[in-house]
Amino acid sequence: MIHSVHSTLHLQRHSVAAAAAASLLSQGIRKMSQLHPESAEMVKMFKIGGVPYPSCASIDEARYLSRKTCEKFQLQEEFKGTITEMSVDTPAAAIPVTVYKPEQCDENPAVFVYFHGGGWTVGSRVNADSSLKYISSRARCIAVNVEYRLAPEHPFPACMDDGNHVTSWVLKNRLMIGATESSPVGIGGDSAGGSIAAVVAHEVKPLAFQVLVYPNIDLTYPYPSYKEFGAAEFILSEETIQWFRSQYLPNEKDRIHPRASVVHQPSFSNLPPALFIVAECDALRDDSYEYEKMLRAAGTPAELVLFKGLLHGFFHLPGHYLENCPLAYDHVVRFIQRHGRSSSAR
């Protein structure tokens, strides 16, 4: 009798586990079917030749792979204008920046300071080169592409300090980069760069706008999308997210520091208008949903554009996302044109 009961319980547990596994598999298949064809093709390529960053033998290897991927999927679009390499001296280091000024530039052009993505650990100005050429040309604005310092050599808060110093320098030296003394200055960034831009918007004044492309706004990772799209198939996996965090935030207590997780800032009012560009099939999707709600509740203008079926990272791969990147960039262009021509900087 006892044997029979134990066997029944074992079978029940096995059935429950099997049902749970089948449910997860079904959910995974269903989520994969949500993918836009451009994302599905990216997943296929990653399965064949991709290497997750946590599997790399060193940080240098991870950075090499990141750079090669970005170079492979940049656009070779001619930029009509000037591209100038400059350096911003800060108390800690000289920060390289690339300044793009299109031939057809507004008389009083907006300035768009941009921070690339890469988990605060990989990536460089190469990530944002094509996107900023496109946006700068069509918005008729000046773009500043920032090479902030990376972890683990320079952990938190180094990149935040760099973001503040460079943005403050731009505000004080608009003439030097080809703008006017009254040119509105805005900021933006994707992923980790979005988290830098979000914090800079709290700490540097006055700014005319902020563009946050699937930003990471809470490094405790509390939102459902982390689990929903955290499988390796979606490329930015939970394992990769945690690996980035371990490089950037060696001290766990810093995860809730307001300069690391912007949701812990004391106030969300009197901030520049925000545009969120969001990928639907992204572990960081809900960060944007949450932060947009917080800004709106505090009276800060905010709008969110959701790109159905897209993965994290699409924004800096225009050579692959030939349909969706121009759509996303055009949203940014229109946002800059609206807010970069007003004098209501905050």
Side-chain angles (χ1 to χ4, degrees):
M1 184 68 171
I2 293 173
H3 175 73
S4 175
V5 171
H6 284 174
S7 297
T8 301
L9 288 172
H10 176 74
L11 287 170
Q12 287 175 340
R13 290 193 190 102
H14 179 75
S15 297
V16 170
S23 174
L24 286 173
L25 178 61
S26 174
Q27 290 174 31
I29 293 170
R30 190 164 64 252
K31 289 188 178 73
M32 292 301 288
S33 72
Q34 292 177 229
L35 293 180
H36 185 281
E38 290 179 333
S39 292
E41 182 62 27
M42 179 59 71
V43 168
K44 194 182 301 181
M45 287 190 290
F46 189 75
K47 282 182 178 178
I48 294 170
V51 178
Y53 292 129
S55 300
C56 291
S58 66
I59 293 292
D60 286 342
E61 182 186 357
R63 290 174 182 163
Y64 172 80
L65 291 173
S66 171
R67 186 177 184 90
K68 297 306 289 184
T69 300
C70 288
E71 289 174 348
K72 180 179 179 180
F73 294 117
Q74 293 297 295
L75 290 175
Q76 301 307 313
E77 181 178 322
E78 181 186 2
F79 179 76
K80 294 181 179 179
T82 60
I83 300 176
T84 308
E85 300 297 329
M86 304 183 77
S87 182
V88 177
D89 289 329
T90 77
I95 306 300
V97 300
T98 303
V99 179
Y100 307 83
K101 183 176 182 180
E103 280 182 1
Q104 301 297 318
C105 205
D106 283 346
E107 188 175 328
N108 188 44
V111 180
F112 185 34
V113 182
Y114 196 84
F115 307 100
H116 66 81
W120 312 279
T121 305
V122 303
S124 69
R125 285 172 292 170
V126 173
N127 294 44
D129 184 67
S130 286
S131 55
L132 290 181
K133 287 175 179 175
Y134 184 108
I135 292 166
S136 173
S137 294
R138 287 158 180 81
R140 299 162 63 98
C141 72
I142 295 169
V144 181
N145 194 358
V146 183
E147 194 77 75
Y148 58 87
R149 291 172 295 159
L150 298 175
E153 300 93 331
H154 306 286
F156 173 81
C159 63
M160 298 300 177
D161 293 339
D162 294 348
N164 278 356
H165 287 304
V166 171
T167 305
S168 297
W169 180 89
V170 169
L171 283 165
K172 294 172 185 174
N173 294 278
R174 283 174 268 204
L175 291 175
M176 189 182 297
I177 61 172
T180 71
E181 289 184 347
S182 59
S183 284
V185 176
I187 52 174
D190 59 288
S191 193
S195 75
I196 297 172
V199 170
V200 170
H202 283 265
E203 298 181 348
V204 178
K205 310 289 182 181
L207 295 174
F209 57 87
Q210 54 181 318
V211 176
L212 306 178
V213 182
Y214 38 73
N216 194 331
I217 59 109
D218 190 336
L219 272 70
T220 66
Y221 306 125
Y223 307 119
S225 59
Y226 289 118
K227 295 293 183 184
E228 188 179 355
F229 296 105
E233 289 83 357
F234 297 102
I235 301 179
L236 183 67
S237 66
E238 284 188 85
E239 181 187 18
T240 298
I241 290 171
Q242 290 166 9
W243 182 80
F244 280 139
R245 183 174 65 182
S246 70
Q247 308 301 320
Y248 176 54
L249 289 175
N251 297 320
E252 285 191 21
K253 65 181 182 180
D254 286 333
R255 293 177 185 178
I256 58 171
H257 193 291
R259 300 190 77 207
S261 294
V262 72
V263 292
H264 293 290
Q265 289 282 337
S267 172
F268 301 95
S269 59
N270 298 313
L271 294 175
L275 170 66
F276 292 85
I277 300 291
V278 185
E280 180 187 29
C281 302
D282 179 5
L284 299 188
R285 181 196 63 197
D286 294 351
D287 286 55
S288 292
Y289 289 168
E290 181 65 23
Y291 196 45
E292 188 218 16
K293 284 193 298 185
M294 295 175 77
L295 294 182
R296 282 179 175 274
T300 294
E303 56 190 86
L304 185 149
V305 183
L306 178 67
F307 283 82
K308 293 278 192 178
L310 293 198
L311 297 167
H312 188 87
F314 83 89
F315 194 82
H316 72 275
L317 302 173
H320 177 78
Y321 289 93
L322 295 170
E323 175 186 340
N324 283 285
C325 275
L327 296 175
Y329 300 164
D330 287 341
H331 278 286
V332 176
V333 167
R334 290 191 291 270
F335 187 77
I336 292 174
Q337 288 173 332
R338 285 204 313 276
H339 296 284
R341 289 175 179 162
S342 67
S343 59
S344 55
R346 302 184 183 197

